[in-house]
Amino acid sequence: MHNETNSPAPSRRDLLIATGALALHAVAPITGAAQPVVERRLLPTPSSAPAPKSAMTLWYEAPAANWNEALPVGNGRLGAMIFGSPFAERIQLNEDTLWAGSPYDPVSPDAADALPEARQLVFDGQYKAAHDLIAKRIMARPLRQMQYQTLGDLHIDHFDPNVPLTDYRRTLDIESAVASVTYSHADVTFTRDVFASAVDQVIVVRIRASRPGSISLSARLSTPHKVSRTSIDVSDALCLAGMNGGSDGIAGKLPFEARLVVRATGGAARAQDDRVIVADANEVVLLVAMATGYKRFDDRTADPLAHNRATLSAASERDVETMLRDHVADHRRYFDRVSIDLGTTDAAMLPTDRRVRESKTLDDPALAALYFQFGRYLLIGSSRPGTQPANLQGIWNDSLTPPWGSKYTININTEMNYWPAEPTGLGEMVEPLVKMVEDLAITGARTARRMYNARGWVCHHNTDLWRATAPIDGPFWGMWPCGGAWLTVHLWDHYLYSGDLAFLRRVYPLLRGAAEFFLDALVEDPKSRYLVTNPSISPENAHPFGTSVCAGPTMDSQIIRDVFNQVIKASEMLDVDPDLRCEFAATRDRLPPNSIGAQGQLQEWLEDWDSKAPEPRHRHISHLYGLFPSNQIHPLTTPELADACKVTLDQRGDISTGWAIAWRINCWARLLDGDRAHRILRHLFEPTRTYPNLFDAHPPFQIDGNFGGANAIAEMLLQSQNGELHLLPSLPGAWPEGQVKGLRGRGGFLVDLAWKGGTLTEASIASQLDGDCRLRYGRSTMLHRMASGQRIRVDVALRKV
Ligand code: FUC
């Protein structure tokens, strides 16, 4: 058995504490759903216009043949997938509060009574009997949560498909967040631009033609939901109002509305029946507003019709040029914070789908840079202050019954969505997650009380729009009380990156509630005398005794240790709750330590069952939470445990689902093995794990791999978890020359790096807080005291010792 060092929980001023030798030199302060696609056969070959100039553009030579080829735009709340058909455009639409069902509380009324018996069975080694009892009496009612659902589609039909077209190109410029389709048809060049404006809260489609009077089309909205009303309002807007569906016995009671306005310049536009018809216009602008009755998890009384009316009447005051300019400026405000160059080869000239298709053999470092920035693009598009957090598909979903309900799976997936937020300069995008935790602290307090007779709050392995917190799906997957606790780690990390004390004060009750739950819910393991969770699981992995249900899996102790450590630190910073702080510390000290098993692996359970577990290559690597994203294990601080993590990673294998590959890459980056991380990163880009539109494939599409992959690239270039900024900790040989600007480190740092021949040539560090800055490059470390607003440059060639 090995005791690990508890992760340092730095305070505001001493986030970076120096202890190392000064081997770096010269610090100089300086200033400053599938559609039949008729077009394919009509496109002559080669048909497309030349490659776009910007490296930050996804581009294609043909319309999307299915949803995983369509291109996403989003403003955090509204999402659209653009297929790019010249004749029969389909733009699939989402609104982030359109989920099935209505407010509900799924806690089983039998749970509290059955809990003592379930615990005893687990401690007696009767795991299967415990599983069956939990299935019968403890699991949520209903057993499943509500699904995130599509709103429907915008259809735009034009032209005569019998006349061939040329010069087709479909693009998504992630720098400006505009998707475009261009082609020539009967000697006229058409351009269709689509964007999701956060400023104006509408999806905007702008259609232009090189010859006046050339645009004739018909536009309509459709939905798979129950439609209560299709109408045309006084301003000629097309209104589609309906009600969401029920699911698993929870009635659908959420009204929604989509509203379409079509503005034509020149020619004529008129609404007729269920569509708007435009004839011979010079330019056409379509605006789509969408809303639901959702106000909060327990309130669905908002008025979507009034919301859309107000949105469109405000937008009607604004011309499309202004809307576009404001949209691009708004997007770039976030996107431009980080730039990256990992080198480029001829592969970067190819259409994006070919780069993915041939990624196994192409030398294409620029694809990693594009993937990194695409991850940031997706976060800006699916999680903004005031919106719902990014779910399993971010915000993009064309189904009423998407895989896993496109919910919030919080035993890895939702957390992974937010991994890149802080390091890649998108800290604001964590706000929806913070809000969700605020909700869960309310619904989860009810669950803690009714299921466990415990203080604080709990959420198991999933939640949904209605913030359900009880265990779902079945004991094998759902009997896990640490999901909400894991989410709170993101709140603490937001503080570590920003040093924002007001934020810490706001979230402190959430951190405390998560910790208080475990004061009451942990029980003493009769054999070891450690305090453990029971019943629980090591997420979704079966142990050798016919189920996953167990007591005290390693991951739980690691998460709970972080939860106690962060609340202890926070209570010190805020000077509150001294007695409770002592209780937290005493309980923390009775958690089981990380252990190394007989095969030299990091042990997944309280006992060394690993070699007999039925799925040795299981996708989850839950016990490596302690290595990444946590920092309880690190090669520089706990080398034996770090070696044990390597053994586990080798046993589990490199290839898995998209998100599971992404987790492995982050782990290897933490283990300071850039080449191994890079090798696995290339698996993530293969067509089995990345769709033509660069969406991550579980398969099917699941957005966590996009975010986890983007973060892994950041982790290879900068880490900040040990009270120091570790520069190029895991730079792979495949990226010998490059630069990155704007990465963030804990302690309020902004970091720009450049390297050549695999060696760091320049580092520029800006500090947003007062305090010490400790830099590490290889084994060299250097300390510099920095004032808020100061920037330093390390400008002598640095040698890695
Ligand atoms: C977890 C994973 C699955 C999937 C689901 C949404 O349960 O084990 O692979 O990602 O979440």
Side-chain angles (χ1 to χ4, degrees):
M1 286 243 184
H2 288 244
N3 272 320
E4 78 293 343
T5 317
N6 288 328
S7 61
S11 62
R12 183 164 189 256
R13 281 191 55 86
D14 62 8
L15 285 169
L16 295 170
I17 296 170
T19 50
L22 304 189
L24 304 183
H25 23 161
V27 176
I30 56 166
T31 46
Q35 262 213 337
V37 178
V38 285
E39 298 75 13
R40 287 214 152 167
R41 70 186 148 77
L42 294 168
L43 292 171
T45 316
S47 64
S48 84
K53 287 198 183 71
S54 161
M56 289 298 120
T57 300
L58 284 64
W59 71 283
Y60 306 84
E61 296 172 302
N66 60 58
W67 194 83
N68 291 320
E69 294 183 12
L71 294 171
V73 296
N75 69 3
R77 188 176 74 85
L78 308 177
M81 293 289 286
I82 300 108
F83 283 66
S85 158
F87 306 109
E89 176 65 292
R90 174 187 173 201
I91 299 182
Q92 186 264 316
L93 301 169
N94 286 108
E95 202 275 359
D96 73 347
T97 60
L98 185 43
W99 291 58
S102 49
Y104 69 111
D105 178 7
V107 173
S108 158
D110 286 351
D113 285 348
L115 192 66
E117 190 185 342
R119 282 177 166 156
Q120 195 55 50
L121 286 168
V122 169
F123 281 145
D124 290 347
Q126 310 237 24
Y127 302 105
K128 195 60 183 60
H131 176 116
D132 293 343
L133 177 70
I134 294 165
K136 216 159 118 200
R137 302 191 56 198
I138 294 183
M139 297 311 289
R141 301 176 187 177
L143 193 56
R144 313 228 174 263
Q145 290 174 353
M146 302 299 109
Q147 309 91 352
Y148 177 54
Q149 301 187 314
T150 182
L151 187 144
D153 295 286
L154 165 66
H155 305 272
I156 307 170
D157 297 312
H158 10 179
F159 313 126
D160 172 4
N162 293 318
V163 181
L165 57 86
T166 57
D167 298 325
Y168 181 90
R169 190 168 75 197
R170 183 165 66 94
T171 60
L172 173 63
D173 176 349
I174 60 173
E175 231 161 3
S176 60
V178 177
S180 302
V181 180
T182 57
Y183 49 86
S184 299
H185 182 253
D187 294 330
V188 182
T189 299
F190 293 89
T191 308
R192 187 186 304 149
D193 296 318
V194 186
F195 56 96
S197 168
V199 180
D200 289 294
Q201 287 297 316
V202 282
I203 305 286
V204 182
V205 184
R206 179 194 200 181
I207 302 170
R208 285 173 292 168
S210 60
R211 189 194 299 150
S214 310
I215 307 172
S216 298
L217 56 80
S218 95
R220 70 190 166 86
L221 294 166
S222 68
T223 180
H225 291 275
K226 203 163 40 179
V227 174
S228 47
R229 200 163 60 95
T230 316
S231 56
I232 298 166
D233 81 353
V234 282
S235 57
D236 250 13
L238 211 63
C239 311
L240 183 72
M243 189 65 84
N244 71 338
S247 179
D248 294 87
I250 306 296
K253 292 184 187 168
L254 185 68
F256 72 89
E257 194 210 48
R259 207 169 264 238
L260 168 68
V261 167
V262 181
R263 296 186 202 153
T265 314
R270 73 197 146 82
Q272 186 188 312
D273 303 327
D274 66 341
R275 61 198 66 205
V276 180
I277 295 166
V278 175
D280 308 324
N282 304 336
E283 176 171 325
V284 177
V285 175
L286 299 88
L287 304 177
V288 183
M290 295 178 265
T292 77
Y294 187 79
K295 264 193 184 158
R296 207 177 87 134
F297 63 87
D298 53 357
D299 185 349
R300 47 174 187 84
T301 60
D303 181 350
L305 279 64
H307 183 280
N308 288 341
R309 211 177 296 127
T311 304
L312 286 172
S313 111
S316 72
E317 308 286 311
R318 289 159 57 75
D319 67 85
V320 71
E321 281 296 341
T322 315
M323 288 172 114
L324 177 62
R325 199 187 56 228
D326 290 354
H327 161 70
V328 173
D330 172 68
H331 175 75
R332 294 193 78 139
R333 184 155 65 94
Y334 302 108
F335 188 85
D336 288 354
R337 288 177 185 168
V338 178
S339 66
I340 188 166
D341 177 1
L342 300 174
T344 193
T345 58
D346 288 349
M349 298 300 291
L350 296 172
T352 309
D353 46 351
R354 261 194 76 190
R355 291 169 78 179
V356 172
R357 214 164 46 237
E358 294 169 31
S359 62
K360 225 176 171 157
T361 49
L362 284 177
D363 174 23
D364 192 1
L367 182 61
L370 182 63
Y371 193 93
F372 168 85
Q373 291 289 37
F374 185 61
R376 296 184 64 244
Y377 168 84
L378 292 177
L379 193 61
I380 300 168
S382 62
S383 183
R384 291 244 193 164
T387 75
Q388 294 300 307
N391 62 47
L392 285 174
Q393 298 187 186
I395 194 179
W396 299 279
N397 161 38
D398 67 338
S399 169
L400 294 178
T401 53
W404 292 285
S406 194
K407 305 190 297 291
Y408 300 104
T409 304
I410 55 175
N411 64 12
I412 174 63
N413 316 87
T414 304
E415 289 87 353
M416 186 177 282
N417 285 1
Y418 286 91
W419 285 353
E422 307 288 349
T424 77
L426 301 175
E428 295 96 327
M429 307 324 183
V430 179
E431 175 61 21
L433 191 73
V434 179
K435 278 258 185 243
M436 183 164 85
V437 174
E438 284 174 336
D439 292 348
L440 293 174
I442 301 170
T443 56
R446 211 164 53 199
T447 302
R449 205 172 50 246
R450 291 182 55 204
M451 271 188 73
Y452 296 90
N453 198 16
R455 286 170 289 172
W457 64 276
V458 63
C459 183
H460 294 79
H461 96 302
N462 253 278
T463 191
D464 58 13
L465 182 74
W466 312 107
R467 308 308 190 227
T469 50
I472 61 156
D473 292 350
F476 188 93
W477 304 276
M479 192 59 254
W480 189 63
C482 295
W486 187 353
L487 291 178
T488 65
V489 173
H490 285 259
L491 277 41
W492 175 243
D493 226 29
H494 184 74
Y495 166 70
L496 292 185
Y497 274 91
S498 63
D500 181 348
L501 263 182
F503 174 81
L504 188 63
R505 206 164 285 121
R506 169 185 163 200
V507 301
Y508 176 74
L510 311 174
L511 308 185
R512 187 182 57 199
E516 277 178 313
F517 170 74
F518 292 108
L519 289 182
D520 292 344
L522 292 176
V523 285
E524 187 180 84
D525 172 37
K527 275 191 227 145
S528 65
R529 301 284 171 206
Y530 289 125
L531 290 178
V532 295
T533 49
N534 177 12
S536 188
I537 61 170
S538 186
E540 310 194 21
N541 197 12
H543 56 60
F545 309 102
T547 173
S548 61
V549 172
C550 65
T554 301
M555 181 190 225
D556 288 12
S557 307
Q558 294 172 340
I559 290 176
I560 297 166
R561 186 175 296 114
D562 276 352
V563 164
F564 283 140
N565 279 336
Q566 71 197 14
V567 76
I568 289 167
K569 261 297 179 205
S571 75
E572 281 166 4
M573 312 272 331
L574 302 172
D575 198 16
V576 291
D577 294 336
D579 297 341
L580 206 49
R581 193 188 307 148
C582 294
E583 217 185 322
F584 288 145
T587 309
R588 175 200 61 195
D589 294 343
R590 293 193 57 200
L591 291 168
N594 288 313
S595 298
I596 297 175
Q599 301 160 297
Q601 89 289 5
L602 189 77
Q603 219 172 275
E604 182 159 1
W605 291 279
L606 207 48
E607 289 175 61
D608 191 358
W609 296 335
D610 299 29
S611 63
K612 297 191 205 79
E615 264 196 81
R617 298 175 83 78
H618 197 267
R619 60 195 181 288
H620 285 262
I621 44 172
S622 300
H623 47 320
L624 297 194
Y625 166 90
L627 170 70
F628 187 91
S630 185
N631 186 37
Q632 296 172 30
I633 301 172
H634 191 276
L636 297 176
T637 53
T638 60
E640 292 93 356
L641 287 170
D643 283 345
C645 291
K646 288 183 191 164
V647 174
T648 296
L649 283 166
D650 282 335
Q651 289 172 336
R652 285 294 225 263
D654 293 348
I655 315 262
S656 190
T657 61
W659 65 259
I661 290 180
W663 197 350
R664 284 155 172 76
I665 307 167
N666 281 280
C667 284
W668 283 109
R670 276 291 165 93
L671 290 166
L672 309 177
D673 188 339
D675 287 334
R676 181 73 176 262
H678 181 259
R679 202 169 86 206
I680 309 175
L681 185 66
R682 293 206 48 178
H683 291 310
L684 191 62
F685 299 154
E686 286 173 21
T688 47
R689 294 293 174 266
T690 293
Y691 288 114
N693 61 4
L694 293 192
F695 270 169
D696 167 63
H698 181 290
F701 167 51
Q702 207 169 280
I703 206 161
D704 38 22
N706 285 106
F707 294 132
N711 190 64
I713 293 165
E715 280 281 320
M716 289 157 83
L717 303 176
L718 177 74
Q719 295 178 21
S720 67
Q721 68 283 347
N722 281 336
E724 58 187 19
L725 296 172
H726 195 160
L727 314 179
L728 302 183
S730 303
L731 184 70
W735 302 339
E737 186 169 337
Q739 59 172 344
V740 64
K741 287 190 173 155
L743 290 181
R744 314 270 159 150
R746 291 174 184 84
F749 295 107
L750 258 129
V751 179
D752 299 351
L753 302 170
W755 63 94
K756 267 201 182 102
T759 302
L760 185 67
T761 51
E762 194 173 310
S764 166
I765 321 288
S767 177
Q768 295 169 326
L769 302 171
D770 293 336
D772 287 338
C773 171
R774 183 178 168 199
L775 299 178
R776 171 181 291 277
Y777 181 58
R779 274 181 290 163
S780 305
T781 59
M782 186 195 70
L783 174 71
H784 195 80
R785 177 156 282 279
M786 288 183 76
S788 152
Q790 194 188 356
R791 177 181 285 271
I792 57 168
R793 196 170 63 216
V794 183
D795 58 2
V796 163
L798 302 162
R799 232 169 273 119
K800 198 167 186 171
V801 185

